[in-house]
Amino acid sequence: MRAMRAEGFSGYKDLTLVDVPKPAVSDGRVLVRITAAGVTPLEHTILSGGYPRAKAPLVLGGEGAGVVEEGGGTAFPAGSRVMFTGPYGVSENGTYSEWLAVRKENLCLIPDNIEDLSAAGVPVAYLTAQMTLSLAGFAPGRTVLSPAIGGSVGNAVTQIAKAQGAKHAISTTTNHSKAQQARSLGFDEVIDLSMEKLSDGVRRITEVVLKYGVVRSIAEGYGADIVIDAMGGEILSEALGTLSIGGSLTTLGYAAGRKATIDVTDLIWKRASMKSFSLFSQPAEVWTTAWSVIFPLLQSGAVKPIVAKTFPLAEAADALRYLVEGRPFGRVVLTI
């Protein structure tokens, strides 16, 4: 079968189209014919030598969608359309291939109204979004901020929070055209950082109109109850300053930088908290619960995955370059 394999970890040139044996089905594994693979920043990190756990040669790709061929039993009979993520493309070969033997516990059926191309980019972002919101104590009426509306996590958190009754589901962009695109897609609480500071934007959106008889006044914005940040760097520092009293910030990525400087008074004075999150360290029951929320939201159309561009398997290096350097609005997906 065809696969895009990293022969080394020194850049795009090490990603090569190769012919490798088709995987065999074993206990607990389901043979899936891959139809589409999500492209994520983690593959770029691995290919650049920034992820010591990964060992070359390695077929990249941590999430995907496809059709069950065998081994799925009654839960995933042959012909079922499935999506999944897991240790693939990190500690074992991944989804940049025509077939993959997937652990049964990693699979989720794809709703009939969702195409494989869209489903391939669902697992990592939407599982991360639902789990982090749940762990942060999300409830209807809360205000959520997740920077970078064009990115996978920022977009997924914003959609899932809004679909579950957030009072405000706020995101950001540094690009004015992306801000306009976001609003045309129905994201009406996106702060355009080329026009407004993050703190000012959150304050504006969360202002409260107070009434005293016929007199009306506006109280200063109360801030974000929950921040889910996948960016790191300076944006994390700024987002921390937007927290409301008793708010929490969850950090889980570093697309904008691995180092950030924070003002500890943003935590102390507001009695706020800061925590980290890693998707693959979560127990199985957390995954099951998250999928049970995400599936009906996809099925009803309450959340809609956005695909920015697709590339054929053989152009995986170009897909990664486009994701990292082009910073598109929505997911990049390989067609297999």
Side-chain angles (χ1 to χ4, degrees):
M1 69 173 186
R2 295 182 309 143
M4 288 299 292
R5 188 170 68 187
E7 303 300 320
F9 297 144
S10 58
Y12 298 121
K13 63 181 178 59
D14 284 336
L15 199 54
T16 305
L17 185 65
V18 296
D19 188 35
V20 297
K22 182 178 177 180
V25 177
S26 58
D27 287 346
R29 297 269 184 162
V30 179
L31 183 62
V32 177
R33 177 174 59 82
I34 306 298
T35 55
V39 178
T40 74
L42 178 58
E43 282 98 73
H44 180 264
T45 300
I46 292 171
L47 197 58
S48 303
Y51 204 85
R53 285 177 53 199
K55 305 298 179 185
L58 178 69
V59 177
L60 298 183
E63 65 178 353
V67 179
V68 172
E69 287 209 346
E70 59 178 301
T74 56
F76 303 101
S80 299
R81 296 167 59 241
V82 292
M83 53 188 169
F84 63 92
T85 185
Y88 317 104
V90 179
S91 58
E92 60 184 87
N93 286 333
T95 58
Y96 288 13
S97 58
E98 293 181 310
W99 281 273
L100 193 66
V102 182
R103 292 172 176 82
K104 187 177 289 188
E105 63 267 23
N106 293 150
L107 295 174
C108 179
L109 294 171
I110 299 173
D112 291 340
N113 60 311
I114 302 294
E115 296 181 349
D116 288 13
L117 284 176
S118 297
V122 164
V124 170
Y126 286 83
L127 285 169
T128 295
Q130 176 56 32
M131 289 182 195
T132 52
L133 285 169
S134 178
L135 291 169
F138 175 81
R142 296 291 182 91
T143 289
V144 175
L145 165 65
S146 190
I149 191 63
S152 59
V153 172
N155 193 275
V157 170
T158 303
Q159 287 201 51
I160 284 185
K162 185 176 182 180
Q164 295 184 88
K167 183 174 184 179
H168 299 289
I170 307 169
S171 192
T172 69
T173 180
T174 58
N175 185 297
H176 184 61
S177 63
K178 279 187 183 179
Q180 293 177 311
Q181 183 181 359
R183 292 179 187 123
S184 72
L185 292 169
F187 301 101
D188 53 5
E189 294 184 321
V190 173
I191 299 167
D192 183 351
L193 297 179
S194 70
M195 308 284 289
E196 183 179 29
K197 289 176 60 177
L198 178 58
S199 57
D200 292 340
V202 172
R203 188 179 302 114
R204 169 180 55 79
I205 291 170
T206 61
E207 284 176 345
V208 179
V209 178
L210 304 176
K211 285 187 177 182
Y212 303 94
V214 296
V215 179
R216 293 162 59 90
S217 65
I218 297 178
E220 183 173 323
Y222 56 84
D225 299 307
I226 296 170
V227 173
I228 308 296
D229 175 55
M231 301 303 292
E234 185 178 345
I235 195 75
L236 182 150
S237 307
E238 295 176 4
L240 190 66
T242 71
L243 285 176
S244 63
I245 301 297
S248 71
L249 181 148
T250 301
T251 177
L252 57 94
Y254 39 85
R258 296 185 180 218
K259 294 185 178 181
T261 301
I262 68 170
D263 183 339
V264 294
T265 62
D266 288 330
L267 294 172
I268 297 169
W269 293 351
K270 296 177 181 177
R271 304 186 298 280
S273 62
M274 187 174 178
K275 64 188 78 173
S276 63
F277 174 84
S278 173
L279 175 61
F280 299 111
S281 67
Q282 303 305 309
E285 59 269 22
V286 174
W287 284 62
T288 301
T289 301
W291 274 130
S292 73
V293 174
I294 296 165
F295 187 92
L297 293 177
L298 290 168
Q299 193 173 42
S300 68
V303 299
K304 299 178 180 178
I306 298 171
V307 176
K309 192 171 182 179
T310 65
F311 291 78
L313 176 63
E315 296 177 15
D318 293 333
L320 272 171
R321 185 180 286 109
Y322 176 70
L323 175 70
V324 173
E325 300 174 16
R327 300 180 65 189
F329 191 115
R331 298 305 310 275
V332 177
V333 177
L334 295 179
T335 55
I336 313 297

